[in-house]
Amino acid sequence: MTTDGTSDDRLGRHQLALDRRMLALAIAEAEEGLDGGGIPIGAVLADGDTVLGAGHNQRMQLGSVIRHGETDALENAGRLPATTYARTTMYTTLSPCSMCTGAILLYGIPRVVIGENETFLGAEDHLRANGVEVVNLASERCVELMRTFIADHPELWNEDIGEP
């Protein structure tokens, strides 16, 4: 039991349901990015059930070197005080790369929920080593989006992750 009399199990189920809803929004962002000719990675920055910013990888669409899903969500959230970031969760369809991990750490985001890390294992250990809670929902849809994209566009994928 928690101090307010609710069961930990009930709170855990509520959090899992919220995580799945928010990841579904990130997946919709990834699909929008794919439909627009980009890499299918989406992200949502949320404070509880309030979406502060959502975005998707726009490196191809904008010719940007830094607009990954997570950084696009942060950009779309706009400037926020550190006290807001300190209570947020970053939902992302793919394990965060080193650049996105750096942004998560810079802004003090304490929790990251990822859709999958089978097709790409980012800097999850670095997040954990810095006190960030990392949750992997192992979404089949996220895996499918990335496997298909990587098979169809290996050169774009390698460019996105800085591989030759």
Side-chain angles (χ1 to χ4, degrees):
M1 288 292 212
T2 62
T3 56
D4 68 355
T6 57
S7 75
D8 290 333
D9 186 49
R10 193 173 101 218
L11 291 174
R13 286 193 312 267
H14 172 75
Q15 185 63 59
L16 181 59
L18 176 61
D19 289 349
R20 287 180 176 154
R21 282 196 316 272
M22 291 297 173
L23 183 62
L25 296 176
I27 291 169
E29 284 287 334
E31 291 168 339
E32 181 180 332
L34 182 62
D35 291 345
I39 298 169
I41 303 168
V44 169
L45 181 68
D47 181 357
D49 62 0
T50 302
V51 173
L52 303 175
H56 51 270
N57 186 305
Q58 295 203 61
R59 291 189 69 245
M60 302 303 121
Q61 299 93 320
L62 299 178
S64 170
V65 297
I66 61 168
R67 289 301 272 271
H68 283 193
E70 299 90 337
T71 56
D72 196 46
L74 287 166
E75 180 69 19
N76 290 332
R79 291 177 56 200
L80 299 170
T83 54
T84 299
Y85 289 117
R87 61 179 188 260
T88 61
T89 298
M90 177 66 76
Y91 294 89
T92 178
T93 58
L94 186 64
S95 181
C97 71
S98 295
M99 178 179 69
C100 295
T101 292
I104 290 163
L105 294 174
L106 176 68
Y107 291 108
I109 297 167
R111 187 167 185 270
V112 177
V113 175
I114 63 173
E116 66 103 351
N117 63 5
E118 286 180 36
T119 61
F120 176 78
L121 179 59
E124 293 175 36
D125 286 344
H126 189 58
L127 287 168
R128 287 186 191 97
N130 283 276
V132 176
E133 177 186 1
V134 178
V135 177
N136 182 358
L137 294 184
S139 163
E140 290 180 23
R141 178 64 180 141
C142 292
V143 172
E144 174 190 355
L145 281 166
M146 288 309 300
R147 279 201 178 133
T148 301
F149 183 84
I150 292 167
D152 292 347
H153 306 284
E155 71 290 344
L156 293 179
W157 174 241
N158 286 333
E159 178 188 326
D160 194 63
I161 59 171
E163 294 291 325

